[in-house]
Amino acid sequence: MAINVEGIKFGYSASREVLKDMNFTCRDNRITGIIGPNGCGKTTVLKIIAGYLHPSAGRVSYNNTDIGDLSSVELAKMRAVVEQRIYTPFSFPVYDYVMLGRSPYQKNFRPDSDEDHIVVTESLKNADALHFQDRKINELSGGELQRVMIARALAQEPDYLMLDEPTSHLDIKHQLELMNLLSKLTREKSIICIIHEINQASSYCDDIV
């Protein structure tokens, strides 16, 4: 199992080419770190891998299946994305926010199933966020909120967890705690992570792009 990026080319306009002939593989049960200077296209690469942007040339494949051949629901079950911006819906309970990650598995107007509740609880445990599941999301610290966002992503039960600079809003202590958490998650997931700090990338990533 792997994500293969082959000959990717992308530009936001004819005069602004951001990526050209990119080739790499995100291997299974590893942390693949994407590093580089500001403005070089790190977030663009992640959005292409996630299927949010479409390259003008080249292809992205999940386990040898072209990303264009996957439906939005199939893709949501294979990968989950934690974006750089921290979202804080007003007065939203943590548990309910994480339950949103179960959307790809739920049918319209059906109540949450027993399996949904089991997965959400397990996701909160794995993200070390179970102890504040009853709190409001807008009352959390930056480190707590980042864990909740990861828990929501884990509730999608993805093979691949993608994160855009997940430590950028955190102090050093919480940065290290989060990177240690991601390392533990590689027992069951493959992690693709944009990292700003080169020392963190060299310490925690198995592969670096």
Side-chain angles (χ1 to χ4, degrees), residues 153-195:
L154 292 177
Q156 288 181 226
E157 297 185 285
D159 295 320
Y160 302 97
L161 180 61
M162 305 177 181
L163 307 99
D164 188 351
E165 295 197 29
T167 62
S168 60
H169 301 284
L170 307 179
D171 58 30
I172 293 296
K173 176 178 181 293
H174 287 105
Q175 286 181 25
L176 297 178
E177 287 179 353
L178 181 60
M179 294 308 300
N180 285 326
L181 170 62
L182 295 180
S183 294
K184 292 178 182 178
L185 290 175
T186 57
R187 297 168 187 166
E188 298 180 356
K189 311 288 182 187
S190 301
I191 310 293
I192 303 165
C193 185
I194 295 175
I195 298 182

Side-chain angles (χ1 to χ4, degrees), residues 48-49 123 132:
I48 289 174
I49 298 172
S123 298
F132 47 80

